[in-house]
Amino acid sequence: MIELGTEGGLLRRFVDELERTTPRAVPAQPDLTAYRGQDREAARLAWASRIADEYRSVAVFSELLMLLADLEAPYATMCAVQRLIGDELRHTHLMARVVDWLGGREDLVIDLADVGLPPRDANESPAMRAVRIVGRELVVAEEESIAVLAAYRDATTEPAIRAVFQIVLADEVRHAAAGRAILAELACSPRTAPACVGLDETMAVDRAELRVGYRTLAIGGPGRMLGASIELADLETIWHRMADDVCASACTA
């Protein structure tokens, strides 16, 4: 587990600069003692697992930035991915902060040494690797996370924790839009366009598999009001709403 302290010193200024990029103010630590111990503990473990999830995005997008640098991607693309890395790093720290609200991390083992980077095929070129990360991780995974985050946000009744979901959700919406823009750019570049062949099919499979996984985990449980659990109906409501929004946009285009 990386050190998540933000004490003073020269490097503190970089922490402050990153935290100022948050789309909404981070709420002050709430008093959660009125909630049942069972609910607080379920939420503590759920938010601890999110530390690793967010850190995985830091690692994946850092690899993407390196690949894009080797491919001499446009400046705007590099700026976008660099900002995404910062956002995910900020999310990592935010998840840890919520765990501390719920009882702390001292007795938890949160291993970030192997966060599960996407597997690399033996014959995968840098261009193909970059395109697949953008399509599968930045477009599909981020878009699907929007629905899940919205479902957890809507199920959460504790204002401070609901506000944390709002922060992350605002960032993820922007990330998914950036992913679409970057993918369109890669599809037009002579260096990366060939690597986009067949990507739509792969993305469709990924999206379906993610939704199966989310359905499996949406079984309710303690800590709902603290962002620990949702039910399948919560997800279905968001998915239906998103589908209606897409249809409405198509009809007015």
Side-chain angles (χ1 to χ4, degrees), residues 27-35 40 97-98 100-102 158-162 164 226:
Q29 178 171 348
D31 181 0
L32 303 177
T33 56
Y35 293 97
R40 292 199 306 271
R97 188 179 304 189
V98 177
D100 290 343
W101 293 350
L102 291 161
E158 165 54 43
I161 293 182
R162 187 181 177 97
V164 170
L226 298 171

Side-chain angles (χ1 to χ4, degrees), residues 1-2 52 55-56 59 110-117:
M1 180 65 185
I2 63 173
Y55 195 73
R56 178 184 181 276
I110 304 173
D111 185 9
L112 302 181
D114 184 9
V115 290
L117 292 176

Side-chain angles (χ1 to χ4, degrees), residues 36-202:
R36 296 184 309 165
Q38 180 186 22
D39 291 316
R40 292 199 306 271
E41 181 61 12
R44 188 174 75 106
L45 296 177
W47 284 94
S49 71
R50 292 172 184 145
I51 296 174
D53 291 341
E54 298 296 334
Y55 195 73
R56 178 184 181 276
S57 294
V58 173
V60 171
F61 296 156
S62 293
E63 181 185 1
L64 176 61
L65 185 63
M66 180 184 67
L67 290 165
L68 292 174
D70 289 342
L71 292 166
E72 299 179 354
Y75 177 68
T77 299
M78 301 286 287
C79 287
V81 176
Q82 184 269 343
R83 175 60 187 271
L84 298 184
I85 295 168
D87 288 348
E88 300 294 355
L89 190 58
R90 176 164 48 79
H91 294 174
T92 301
H93 188 258
L94 187 55
M95 301 301 109
R97 188 179 304 189
V98 177
V99 174
D100 290 343
W101 293 350
L102 291 161
R105 292 168 276 141
E106 292 74 14
D107 61 329
L108 299 176
V109 178
I110 304 173
D111 185 9
L112 302 181
D114 184 9
V115 290
L117 292 176
R120 182 190 292 272
D121 294 338
N123 60 345
E124 192 173 46
S125 68
M128 186 175 294
R129 179 72 170 174
V131 164
R132 287 181 177 177
I133 289 178
V134 172
R136 305 179 74 179
E137 301 285 343
L138 187 47
V139 175
V140 174
E142 296 289 282
E143 286 181 350
E144 290 304 308
S145 74
I146 291 171
V148 177
L149 286 167
Y152 275 102
R153 178 204 59 193
D154 292 351
T156 300
T157 56
E158 165 54 43
I161 293 182
R162 187 181 177 97
V164 170
F165 278 122
Q166 292 277 34
I167 290 171
V168 180
L169 184 57
D171 282 330
E172 297 297 292
V173 169
R174 188 161 50 87
H175 292 185
R180 286 286 179 183
I182 293 171
L183 187 58
E185 188 174 74
L186 295 176
C188 293
S189 169
R191 301 188 67 174
T192 50
C196 295
V197 175
L199 182 64
D200 287 345
E201 291 81 1
T202 299

